[in-house]
Amino acid sequence: MNILILGGGGREHALAWAIRQNPKCDRLIVAPGNPGIAGVAECADLDILSRVQVLEFAQENAIDFVVVGPEAPLAAGVSDALRDAGFLVFGPSQAAAQLEASKAFTKEICDACGAPTAAWARFDAAGPARDYVTTQGAPIVVKADGLAAGKGVTVAETVEQAHDAIDAIFDGEFGDTSVVIEEFMAGEEASFFILSDGTDCLAIGTAQDHKRVGDGDTGPNTGGMGAYSPAPVLTQAIQDQVMAQIVRPTIATMAAKGTPFQGVLYAGLMIDQGRARLVEYNVRFGDPECQVLMMRLGAQALDLLLACAEGRLAETCVTWADDHALTVVMAAEGYPGDYEKGSAINGLNALPETGFQMTFHAGTAIRDGQIVASGGRVLACTGRGATLAEAHQRAYALIDAIDWPQGFCRRDIGWRAL
């Protein structure tokens, strides 16, 4: 079959790498792709937020299956346009994508189905939001209601920090959006990935990422500096609780509202004293969580995505190896603040590309034949092994073989589990 993946980051590189291994895949195109993806798939220069461009491209290239990687095309309704034209699509509708596109929408769904989550309030102006924070006190969590590329969340340790975060959001840092303010939840955070075909659900893996930029979980939040799978904190008992109290009620409520959810549901969870509460939903694979999940799933990833899109999850299961994967993000100096683009990255051609070691490209470009950094998070060096320690060693061996003085990484990814 001819498969089109929309996106051009580390998540899409990992999806392409896994899908390419499946014999069902005859032709694989990734739009817009990146230099790393070009090693496993064709890349196409395409505006993936344009319904017209994506639809015309899919028709002209006889695409059989479309996998939507990032959240922005989902929120823009690209999946709806493709489905309306008869294409098989992995990814939720624009209406269902509100589970990520609007924090307030998700909170309302949780209230409707009784899913355990933090107490919350929504505000359309800075004054009332500041007053609410002053009354509630700190620590407290301030979130931009809309899409913010993983950066619109502030865990404020003081009332003043919360006020600053509120002002930044209403000053337009994340576009025209409201503010959701939440109770601070203590505990350990982890990610749970579930496929839903609108009716049935299938858990496909757990992961734990590292949001803070510095070793020891210090510094500002980022889009993620590394991740590992599985996450030991998500025991089978907790997974069962999450499916029963959070995921299945959410899917049932979405269906009852006339907005059935089809795609991957990424549940960010806070675990405390053996119980989980929902932090947030994403409606796509996380980055860098996708890298560790795809390393462990391999070729069966395509079978799972197809079963989801075709409504066959009730008859589908995941085959897990008893293994571990760990990925370390290399970022440009200055990230998540201001950083320079265009620095040369050397040594990539000599790196192994196997089922146990892969370097996924997240923010790279080619300039005059040289691979250069084009984003904040640039590479995701990923290892797989029988133990987490072995996966850790293989990932950092890739890091140490890369010649990029302008790049940096955390040296303690996986420390909680290790």
Side-chain angles (χ1 to χ4, degrees), residues 5 11-22 28 30 37 40-41 290-299 301 353-360 384:
I5 300 175
R11 164 184 45 234
E12 290 76 35
H13 191 177
L15 285 166
W17 175 83
I19 287 171
R20 177 79 273 178
Q21 298 173 46
N22 193 304
L28 181 60
V30 184
I37 291 172
V40 295
C290 187
Q291 287 86 316
V292 290
L293 288 176
M294 291 303 122
M295 280 292 282
R296 298 187 64 215
L297 287 170
E353 295 187 355
T354 69
F356 297 97
Q357 285 179 298
M358 269 297 300
T359 300
F360 297 110
R384 177 174 163 232

Side-chain angles (χ1 to χ4, degrees), residues 281-369:
Y281 281 131
N282 292 324
V283 298
R284 36 75 191 184
F285 287 104
D287 186 346
E289 294 93 341
C290 187
Q291 287 86 316
V292 290
L293 288 176
M294 291 303 122
M295 280 292 282
R296 298 187 64 215
L297 287 170
Q300 70 174 314
L302 176 57
D303 298 322
L304 295 171
L305 302 190
L306 281 170
C308 181
E310 294 172 346
R312 296 185 288 103
L313 283 183
E315 59 191 61
T316 306
C317 64
V318 184
T319 302
W320 280 115
D322 185 15
D323 63 353
H324 299 257
L326 182 144
T327 191
V328 183
V329 169
M330 290 195 78
E333 282 290 355
Y335 177 81
D338 294 333
Y339 56 86
E340 288 189 12
K341 297 181 181 180
S343 55
I345 307 170
N346 294 304
L348 294 175
N349 290 338
L351 297 180
E353 295 187 355
T354 69
F356 297 97
Q357 285 179 298
M358 269 297 300
T359 300
F360 297 110
H361 290 226
T364 63
I366 293 182
R367 188 178 65 192
D368 299 327

Side-chain angles (χ1 to χ4, degrees), residues 50-75:
S50 168
R51 300 185 189 198
V52 172
Q53 280 197 35
V54 172
L55 186 56
E56 288 181 351
F57 184 88
Q59 291 168 335
E60 291 169 0
N61 288 273
I63 297 299
D64 300 300
F65 185 39
V66 182
V67 178
V68 185
E71 63 273 24
L74 296 169

Side-chain angles (χ1 to χ4, degrees), residues 79 278 315:
S79 61
L278 182 72
E315 59 191 61

Side-chain angles (χ1 to χ4, degrees), residues 370-391:
Q370 169 71 56
I371 293 182
V372 299
S374 63
R377 292 186 301 159
V378 177
L379 300 167
C381 296
T382 311
R384 177 174 163 232
T387 65
L388 186 60
E390 188 174 43

Side-chain angles (χ1 to χ4, degrees), residues 43 111 132 160 174 190 209 229 273 325 380 382 384 389:
C43 292
D111 288 349
Y132 179 82
E160 290 73 22
F174 303 103
D209 76 340
S229 174
Q273 298 180 357
T382 311
R384 177 174 163 232

